[in-house]
Amino acid sequence: MKTPDVTAALGDKKLQLAIYSATARLGERRRETITSDHEELRQYAHDIKKHTLDHLDFYLEQLERNVEARGGKVIWAKDGAEACAFIQNLARKRGVKVIVKSKSMTTEEIHLNEHLEEVGIEAVETDLGEYILQLGGEKPFHIIAPALHKTKEDVSDIFEKHLHSKRETSPEGLTKIARVALREKFLEAGMGITGANFLVADSGAIVLVENEGNARLSSSAPKIHVAVSGIEKVIPRAQDLGVFLKLLARSATGQPLSVYTSFLAGAKREGEPDGPEEFYLVLLDNGRTRLLADESKRQSLYCIRCGACLNHCPVYRKIGGYNYPWVYSGPIGKILTPQFMGIEHDPWLPFASSLCGACGEVCPVKIEIPRILLELRSDKVANDPDRAELWSFKVWAWVMRHPKFYARLAPLALSAAPPVGPVKKWLSQRDLPVPPAKSFRDLWKERSK
Amino acid sequence: MVRVSLFVTCVVDQVFPNVGMAMAKVLEAAGCEVEFREAQTCCAQPAFNSGYRDQARTVAEHFLTTFEGAEYIVVPSGSCCSMISHHFAELLPGDNRVHDLEPRVFEFSQFLTNVLKVEDVGASFDGLVTYHDSCHALRELKIKDGPRKLLQNVRGLRLVEMDTAEECCGFGGTFSVKFPEISGGMVRTKIDAIERTGASTVVSIDSSCLMQIQGALDRARSKIRTMHLAEVLANTLKAAE
């Protein structure tokens, strides 16, 4: 099985320090903020997600009725192409040249920015981290902290090059430079695009959670607001937000609540002073119904994109976000990518885990990530077994069922193993213990005499 | 008298036999009658974790046959113990033997503290010790305080916590050889944390983690030694008559 070359990330001391300290800080804040009812909240959230996804058709139809009753429009997109085509056409029809966007992994998933660029529309990311990356031509490194790997100096370099600003390395100063540049874009933009953290079926509302205020501005300043969301983001009732908003903010950034929580229902109505004139909700499938059909792995769709599993994953913390093949990195990416793309796409992914279980322990909606990783490994083997490995496990299993052979063969295998294959790989990193003269069973026999 | 059947695991049997002997010594001193069933081999985890469930299933079946009728099964490994008590059910759903077995399988420290209700075995050990939480013991078996209490009650032993005791050592079975660079990076982060404590000995309840940690310590020419909890608890303990 081919595995990616991660030596560049592992050997980059500056990068290692940036990842390790930023994820440690997020993890520590999370621990400080979670309350004694945290386990209860997690179970409650899991149960709500389970119920909703088990009855997804019902809640999506209810959502659609309620969005349209409030003057919004729902667009069902079976894949990224359909979602992008709708937005391209809408922008063309309304003569939109500039679009402001707030952070959305779903639009990253469908490469919306690239599709808009193709038809000559400028889509500007307005989340500070996303903006930095867009200027520098990079992709999100982390689900919630996209520019986690960038130092203040890196950001200053990017701003100097693309915004022609002066050297500035204070976070306040850098934010100010971005704010001035972005303010122009907000005023210019004919359309705002956001994701959605939650879709509330009983109110026909979308909920956006953020810390910078740019999502609120993207959804209210331009005349048109388009929200793009996966179909799994629906929750039944507004009152369920009491559970999810707490869990999301605490798990993601260790805040009691995020700074801005926007509850957006439809377009501006008569007599209202502000808000967009048109509101569209693009509901994206893009493979989600296929995941939904798999009952034992369906819970992969419960994810609320908090990023806690990344912050606690010892593998993510070593290799960083760019060694994962798709937009979703870390443990959640390891289970989503094979299910969205097919296990044959990157078969190594579910194997790149020590199965330490830290991801499952912190997941706010209790997705059993380690169990799903194990199932995906088994799927990979069932689909496309590695002949040599299959053969060695067959021999291994036979030996393990025949204790007399095992007792004789195991010591031989240990003392005479040539330094190739797995032994060589082990020795590339650490020493091997010296095999003992006698096994436990030998010592026990001697003792019993 | 409590009758205990040892499942020493293949790693302890073949690589760290003294850990198995130490465990037997501590259990006997605590008043148990200890047996060792020679037909035992492996818990099936390597195949299960690698996705080879058919092969894992046959080895799990062998385990079930071997330990039929055992009153308690005690294991010097959180990971192997959890394979049996938590994952056999996924391999053999609906098998009553698995259902009967689950409440009778214990990791060594868990058996001492939860079944025998022993937190002081009367051992002594001179030195500064730090404890590494092995992942499956911690997260699947919820073992956290038991081993620490046992260590704190050892005469002469001073326990010091590392700042990242719960972080994985990077072993992960076949992960360690499928992704050696990542696994190596993880264990080097672990030994940095161990070194920061100033401890001369690092203790765990899983020999596989200790093999990984000791291997990295040796490679770094460190003087720090690894010991299984059973070896510490058996220290200066008189063998049962």
Side-chain angles (χ1 to χ4, degrees), chain A residues 318 389 400 430-431 447, chain B residues 28 41 52 183 189 219:
Chain A
K318 284 290 157 206
E389 197 179 61
M400 290 303 172
R430 21 31 202 152
D431 292 359
R447 198 191 90 143
Chain B
E28 283 172 346
T41 55
Y52 292 86
S183 168
T189 300
R219 183 60 56 94

Side-chain angles (χ1 to χ4, degrees), chain B:
Chain B
M1 189 180 256
V2 182
R3 288 212 309 271
V4 168
S5 194
L6 302 180
F7 173 57
V8 297
T9 80
C10 56
V11 169
V12 165
D13 181 31
Q14 294 298 323
V15 190
F16 303 103
N18 293 334
V19 170
M21 296 303 283
M23 173 168 80
K25 190 171 154 188
V26 173
L27 290 172
E28 283 172 346
C32 300
E33 187 189 315
V34 176
E35 64 158 16
F36 172 77
R37 300 191 178 184
E38 269 200 62
Q40 65 180 265
T41 55
C42 173
C43 68
Q45 189 172 189
F48 180 70
N49 282 6
S50 302
Y52 292 86
R53 293 200 175 186
D54 291 342
Q55 286 70 31
R57 195 171 294 114
T58 64
V59 176
E61 296 261 13
H62 175 77
F63 183 98
L64 291 173
T65 313
T66 303
F67 284 96
E68 219 176 306
E71 193 175 321
Y72 288 111
I73 302 163
V74 179
V75 192
S77 157
S79 192
C80 305
C81 179
S82 180
M83 177 67 211
I84 301 156
S85 60
H86 286 59
H87 300 292
F88 270 20
E90 289 165 61
L91 277 175
L92 299 155
D95 190 320
N96 278 334
R97 290 173 302 167
V98 175
H99 188 74
D100 292 343
L101 184 74
E102 278 166 10
R104 294 184 288 124
V105 184
F106 291 89
E107 180 280 325
F108 167 65
S109 74
Q110 196 181 36
F111 186 73
L112 286 176
T113 56
N114 296 9
V115 179
L116 300 179
K117 310 281 181 200
V118 172
E119 286 180 359
D120 182 355
V121 299
S124 61
F125 183 89
D126 190 25
L128 192 62
V129 167
T130 191
Y131 176 76
H132 162 68
D133 283 287
S134 55
C135 296
H136 296 162
L138 176 72
R139 300 198 177 87
E140 293 182 356
L141 302 179
K142 312 290 177 205
I143 296 172
K144 175 87 185 157
D145 296 333
R148 288 177 167 81
K149 281 189 189 140
L150 287 160
L151 286 170
Q152 276 159 345
N153 286 326
V154 173
R155 316 294 174 271
L157 185 150
R158 284 161 302 141
L159 184 66
V160 56
E161 286 290 330
M162 63 182 113
D163 44 21
T164 54
E166 295 187 0
E167 263 177 39
C168 180
C169 70
F171 174 66
T174 50
F175 170 77
S176 65
V177 288
K178 279 192 163 119
F179 299 89
E181 294 88 3
I182 305 175
S183 168
M186 284 161 68
V187 73
R188 282 188 289 277
T189 300
K190 189 85 217 183
I191 65 174
D192 285 347
I194 294 167
E195 274 165 0
R196 281 197 296 274
T197 64
S200 53
T201 308
V202 50
V203 172
S204 185
I205 54 179
D206 272 85
S207 292
S208 308
C209 305
L210 294 176
M211 181 166 78
Q212 162 93 339
I213 294 170
Q214 187 70 64
L217 288 167
D218 289 347
R219 183 60 56 94
R221 303 195 183 287
S222 167
K223 292 219 158 57
I224 301 171
R225 306 308 333 138
T226 59
M227 276 177 95
H228 190 283
L229 176 72
E231 295 174 290
V232 178
L233 298 185
N235 201 48
T236 67
L237 201 70
K238 276 193 206 128
E241 297 307 319

Side-chain angles (χ1 to χ4, degrees), chain A residues 387-407:
Chain A
R387 293 276 150 215
E389 197 179 61
L390 175 63
W391 184 238
S392 46
F393 271 115
K394 279 185 171 170
V395 172
W396 171 87
W398 187 89
V399 172
M400 290 303 172
R401 290 195 312 272
H402 295 84
K404 290 210 169 90
F405 282 90
Y406 157 84

Side-chain angles (χ1 to χ4, degrees), chain A residues 25 37 39 51 58 91 96 108 118 144 179 188 193 211 215 234 266 309 327 347 393:
Chain A
R25 203 159 50 237
D37 59 351
E39 284 310 306
H51 168 81
F58 173 84
V96 172
E108 289 289 337
E118 273 169 25
I144 63 142
R179 192 186 290 136
E188 230 181 299
I193 297 178
N211 284 320
V234 68
C309 63
V327 287
F393 271 115

